[in-house]
Amino acid sequence: MDFNDLLPYLVGVPVLAAGVAAAVRLRRRPTDTPRTDTRPAETPPAGGAPAVGTGVADRPAAPADTGPAVPDEGPEATGTTDLLEVPEDLATPPLETPAPTAGRLRRLRERLARSGSPLGTRLLGVLSRDQLTEDDWDELEETLLLADVGAGPTDELIEALRTRVRVEGLRDGEQARAVLREQLLALVDPTLDRTLHTTPTTGEDGARVPAVVLVVGVNGTGKTTTVGKLARVLVADGSSVVLGAADTFRAAAADQLETWGSRVGVPTVRSDRDGADPAAVAFDAVRAGVRDGADVVLVDTAGRLQNKAGLMDELGKITRVITRTAPLSEVLLVLDATTGQNGLNQARVFGEVAGVTGIVLTKLDGTAKGGIVVAVQRELGVPVKLVGLGEGPDDLAPFDPEAFVDGLLQS
């Protein structure tokens, strides 16, 4: 074969090589899913302009004569990660707006009515009978005692009802209801001051100091949850709040309280370890409230009742440390309304050691017997100020005696 016979093959080799190179370049173009360049950046050449990287491995430079530029469509188009969106699960959730406190009083009456309170139903059932015998009066007394009203208040109510029946008589069910309502309301005592004192005060040096509310009670009564709900009540009323997680002994108590606060934009002062000194945490919380100009500092405490002496020492230390910076405005005792006499025993201990100024009854949603309201007020000589109506975040309401009694008697 001479040279003229080989000439077509020699011309075709460069053409074939050019085609292969073009195919390789096409395969190496970036796709819809960019690959992040994990190679170290190249060192700029000495004395020249630094090299410009694209962020995508092996991406070739665009030819100069490719026509009109195509607009970038985000990170996928450019290979950069500057504009990547934050995943939804990492984004800060919007703050919740607590429900106004005004409508919560109505909910107390409605929930008690829906539950069909056995106390009101049984009392009305007996008083509506045509002729009341001694057995009927004994039944009324038993009903009141089983409802945890207490022996003293029960005797008072029975004697008052006997007098009203003897003097006025009970002609129908509506009159019986009116008489019973009047007497029950007197037992609950609407004259007690149920104001929640959460107004900032002025210190001896003239500086503004926040109201400090110390919350005490046995673990398991819903104490930490109540503190979180109370923060929502105060935020709904326009107050600024700081939470102090001084229950440093119960696992995850600080986490639980911090979660409640974060939902409504309330900061929580806490220790970075379990078992820390609760008085130190309480002190830091009050100091943070003063520094930030907060209206109220809510301090959650541990609820251990192994022995009264230990409880007294702990709460006494917390009180002494707090009052170095600001006076205590309230000491609220949280009780589970369903525990009856056991709750009264707890109230006695805390009343002796903590200087309780008000009661918060949780789970007063119809499952409770109802009489605990009267009994605990008589036991401690302080009013029920707040009641928990259910499991919702805004189910804490100021206690209203008339709404409570009307709920018991409403069928």
Side-chain angles (χ1 to χ4, degrees):
M1 178 180 296
D2 58 14
F3 177 78
N4 291 332
D5 294 329
L6 292 175
L7 184 61
Y9 297 101
L10 294 176
V11 174
V13 168
V15 175
L16 179 61
V20 171
V24 169
R25 283 197 299 272
L26 287 174
R27 290 179 59 85
R28 294 175 65 178
R29 283 184 180 176
T31 60
D32 290 338
T33 305
R35 293 178 295 155
T36 303
D37 189 1
T38 59
R39 297 175 302 171
E42 296 181 1
T43 304
V52 179
T54 63
V56 178
D58 301 324
R59 181 173 181 175
D65 57 349
T66 54
V70 179
D72 289 340
E73 297 178 357
E76 291 79 11
T78 64
T80 63
T81 57
D82 295 339
L83 301 179
L84 288 177
E85 296 182 0
V86 178
E88 292 184 1
D89 58 342
L90 297 180
T92 302
L95 295 181
E96 299 177 8
T97 302
T101 56
R104 302 184 187 189
L105 302 178
R106 184 169 58 253
R107 269 190 285 165
L108 168 60
R109 183 170 53 202
E110 292 172 352
R111 292 192 179 193
L112 288 172
R114 285 200 306 268
S115 69
S117 167
L119 175 59
T121 302
R122 291 173 183 172
L123 292 178
L124 281 175
V126 175
L127 286 177
S128 299
R129 295 171 185 170
D130 293 336
Q131 297 293 330
L132 293 178
T133 65
E134 285 301 316
D135 290 340
D136 294 329
W137 290 111
D138 289 342
E139 185 177 345
L140 284 174
E141 182 178 8
E142 181 181 5
T143 299
L144 291 167
L145 291 174
L146 290 174
D148 294 324
V149 173
T154 293
D155 291 341
E156 292 178 22
L157 181 57
I158 293 296
E159 185 61 31
L161 289 174
R162 279 181 179 270
T163 301
R164 295 288 297 272
V165 170
R166 183 169 59 250
V167 174
E168 303 174 17
L170 298 179
R171 294 180 298 275
D172 53 38
E174 285 304 315
Q175 187 181 12
R177 182 188 298 272
V179 170
L180 184 57
R181 181 186 187 279
E182 182 180 338
Q183 297 304 320
L184 285 174
L185 193 56
L187 278 184
V188 176
D189 196 353
T191 65
L192 291 175
D193 180 13
R194 302 178 193 276
T195 305
L196 196 63
H197 299 286
T198 55
T199 303
T201 58
T202 303
E204 296 180 357
D205 58 354
R208 179 181 182 276
V209 294
V212 180
V213 179
L214 189 66
V215 183
V216 301
V218 177
N219 286 338
T221 59
K223 180 171 50 62
T224 301
T225 297
T226 297
V227 176
K229 291 183 179 182
L230 180 54
R232 296 177 68 93
V233 169
L234 296 172
V235 169
D237 290 339
S239 297
S240 56
V241 182
V242 170
L243 298 178
D247 183 355
T248 59
F249 293 92
R250 183 171 67 87
D255 293 337
Q256 180 184 0
L257 191 63
E258 190 171 24
T259 298
W260 277 102
S262 65
R263 293 173 180 172
V264 289
V266 171
T268 300
V269 177
R270 56 176 297 177
S271 173
D272 58 358
R273 61 184 178 86
D274 293 336
D277 184 4
V281 177
F283 176 77
D284 289 342
V286 175
R287 187 168 57 179
V290 173
R291 181 194 65 222
D292 298 342
D295 297 319
V296 187
V297 177
L298 296 179
V299 180
D300 184 24
T301 63
R304 299 166 300 152
L305 265 182
Q306 287 88 340
N307 61 81
K308 188 165 66 174
L311 178 66
M312 182 181 298
D313 291 342
E314 184 175 300
L315 292 179
K317 182 179 178 182
I318 291 175
T319 300
R320 289 193 304 272
V321 167
I322 286 176
T323 51
R324 293 174 187 170
T325 305
L328 281 176
S329 301
E330 293 275 6
V331 178
L332 299 179
L333 171 62
V334 179
L335 293 175
D336 185 335
T338 65
T339 58
Q341 290 299 316
N342 187 40
L344 286 182
N345 294 334
Q346 298 170 11
R348 292 187 189 101
V349 174
F350 281 99
E352 293 172 6
V353 305
V356 175
T357 61
I359 308 296
V360 182
L361 282 177
T362 63
K363 304 178 185 178
L364 191 66
D365 56 357
T367 58
K369 298 175 182 178
I372 188 67
V373 172
V374 176
V376 73
Q377 289 186 158
R378 291 293 185 93
E379 181 67 35
L380 297 186
V382 297
V384 173
K385 293 191 173 184
L386 296 162
V387 289
L389 310 176
E391 300 299 328
D394 293 323
D395 283 341
L396 186 71
F399 179 72
D400 181 84
E402 293 192 5
F404 173 68
V405 172
D406 287 342
L408 289 177
L409 299 179
Q410 189 173 347
S411 56

